[in-house]
Amino acid sequence: IISVTLAFLIQSLDTFGIVPPLKVLYIEPELMLGKNIEIYEDFPHSTLRTNYVLNLSVLNMDTSKHWVKFYKFPTVGLSFSYSNLGNQEVFKNEFSIIPYIILKTSRNQRKSFDFKIGLGASYLNHQFHNENNPDNRVIGSSFTWAFKLFLYKKFLVTDKLNLKFGLGFLHSSNAHTTIPNYGMNSAMVSLAAQFATKSYDPDFAMKMEDMPVNKRKYYFLQARFGYGWHELGGTFVPVGTKDFAVNSYSLSGGIILKQHIKLNLGLTYRFYDSFYDFIVRHKNGLRTDLGENPRTEASNVFVFIGTEFLIGHIGLDFAFGFNLHKPFYDEFNSRWEFNEGFK
């Protein structure tokens, strides 16, 4: 989280509080209103969710950087948020810090729809507790990942002030490192005002010449190692077990188009210490035909396709995968999840 935050700040500002000549700093208060999505049957009742947000962001106008023009002059920033989650007895409040990027559909600010994508961290001050707060099965930890995805439309554009309206989605989850973890999902509407710290021409992007497209293709191979951890169990049981390591090894290859769009296809091998431990300890009580080779049965192999958008020194990576080998799934599902149909 610290690394991502610093990367956004270093790329956006030469020094904190100083705006380079080719960049504009925005100070942006924002009000969000919405509802928590009830994702299980006895989800605690909640009223209106209210978020009070302060965004600090930088509009990059440096045309000497190829990616700045390619992405239609993106904005990067940090979002600081306080939220009343709509039920003070069960959920109370959430505090979040989220680095984000805004990508535009047009260089014309008056016609553009702006997509904001952010990933950061949240602190919740009333998480699940067996005795003190058993109804909050949404979040089992104080700290979570926080994700936001919003679509904005400006209805007032000037050289010092922009007013905009937005619709979006907020999600907080600890990524199954602490059970229970349904995750908090909320649909929100937003009203925000961007105050520029100095005047600038809001139509500057329309006056730039179109950027020549580099048609040359680049090919690559990529190896990746990932380390993580999780608690073994379903969405809300068992509670209080220990964390186990998860190790991933990926190999992929692909093509880079227009210097910025990276498409790849690859294979990932993943090993779950939790699966291995469970198979070894419960060898005589397993519900499925496991136990002959615990190491193989605790492994997962999947094929994936993905794309990475390269924005300066920041990459936004999206991937979709399909399991080829995950023998522990049926044992896991029969004990904790009970899903039917497509796996």
Side-chain angles (χ1 to χ4, degrees), residues 269-298:
Y269 169 78
R270 185 170 288 169
F271 184 79
Y272 291 82
D273 284 359
S274 59
F275 295 176
Y276 180 84
D277 176 81
F278 189 90
I279 293 169
V280 170
R281 288 193 299 109
H282 297 84
K283 189 171 183 179
N284 297 324
L286 297 173
R287 300 178 181 180
T288 53
D289 188 22
L290 297 177
E292 292 296 323
N293 191 335
R295 181 158 292 276
T296 300
E297 294 160 354

Side-chain angles (χ1 to χ4, degrees), residues 96-134:
S96 65
I97 302 176
I98 303 179
Y100 64 84
I101 185 165
I102 296 177
L103 300 175
K104 307 174 178 68
T105 60
S106 171
R107 292 194 295 181
N108 186 332
Q109 290 204 62
R110 294 169 177 81
K111 295 183 178 180
S112 176
F113 287 90
D114 299 345
F115 290 91
K116 177 187 281 189
I117 304 170
L119 179 65
S122 284
Y123 171 77
L124 294 100
N125 60 2
H126 201 46
Q127 74 275 20
F128 172 88
H129 189 279
N130 266 325
E131 297 177 358
N132 300 332
N133 194 20

Side-chain angles (χ1 to χ4, degrees), residues 71 103 260-262 307-311 314-318:
Y71 288 106
L103 300 175
H260 296 284
I261 302 174
K262 182 177 176 182
T307 182
E308 182 180 359
F309 299 93
L310 306 177
I311 304 171
I314 302 296
L316 301 177
D317 199 4
F318 301 89

Side-chain angles (χ1 to χ4, degrees), residues 162-196:
N162 298 323
L163 297 180
K164 58 185 185 178
F165 172 80
L167 299 171
F169 171 77
L170 298 175
H171 173 71
S172 299
S173 167
N174 65 44
H176 218 68
T177 56
T178 306
I179 299 172
N181 184 52
Y182 273 101
M184 179 67 78
N185 303 280
S186 304
M188 310 292 290
V189 297
S190 162
L191 184 64
Q194 284 185 324
F195 297 93

Side-chain angles (χ1 to χ4, degrees), residues 198-260:
K198 63 179 180 180
S199 298
Y200 74 103
D201 180 3
D203 298 318
F204 74 95
M206 298 171 61
K207 300 173 183 178
M208 301 292 179
E209 295 181 1
D210 290 336
M211 182 188 63
V213 176
N214 184 343
K215 296 183 178 180
R216 182 179 175 183
K217 299 179 178 65
Y218 300 86
Y219 300 92
F220 68 92
L221 287 175
Q222 177 173 287
R224 175 180 293 177
F225 168 74
Y227 175 83
W229 63 94
H230 76 152
E231 284 191 7
L232 178 62
T235 305
F236 63 92
V237 289
V239 172
T241 60
K242 69 175 185 177
D243 285 339
F244 288 88
V246 184
N247 293 280
S248 294
Y249 308 85
S250 295
L251 183 65
S252 63
I255 187 171
I256 298 175
L257 305 173
K258 300 181 180 180
Q259 297 183 241
H260 296 284

